[in-house]
Amino acid sequence: PSTVPDAATLLRFALVKRGAEVEALRETARAFLAAAQNSDGGWGPYRNAPSEPFDTALAVLALAEDRDAPQ
């Protein structure tokens, strides 16, 4: 993914599918979202972009549904 919306969508897609390829996509999406989170706790549309409510909501929804994520 190259944007936060892309990563959130990819993670949500990967939550309903199974298989080794899908697990790799989940890890990629998780890593992107972790790296793109800003110090204020939110996300912007891109890494290092200021946080915006829409992008933060997409990331939070995807991560909240990812119950298999490492804590």
Side-chain angles (χ1 to χ4, degrees), residues 10-62:
L10 182 61
L11 181 56
R12 293 190 76 203
F13 166 78
L15 293 174
V16 297
K17 303 288 182 182
R18 293 289 171 224
E21 278 186 30
V22 174
E23 291 304 315
L25 292 175
R26 279 175 86 177
E27 290 301 320
T28 299
R30 283 179 190 147
F32 183 92
L33 290 173
Q37 188 173 19
N38 291 318
S39 61
D40 65 2
W43 285 264
Y46 301 96
R47 258 184 222 179
N48 302 319
S51 296
E52 296 182 12
F54 178 77
D55 301 296
T56 298
L58 289 177
V60 168
L61 288 171

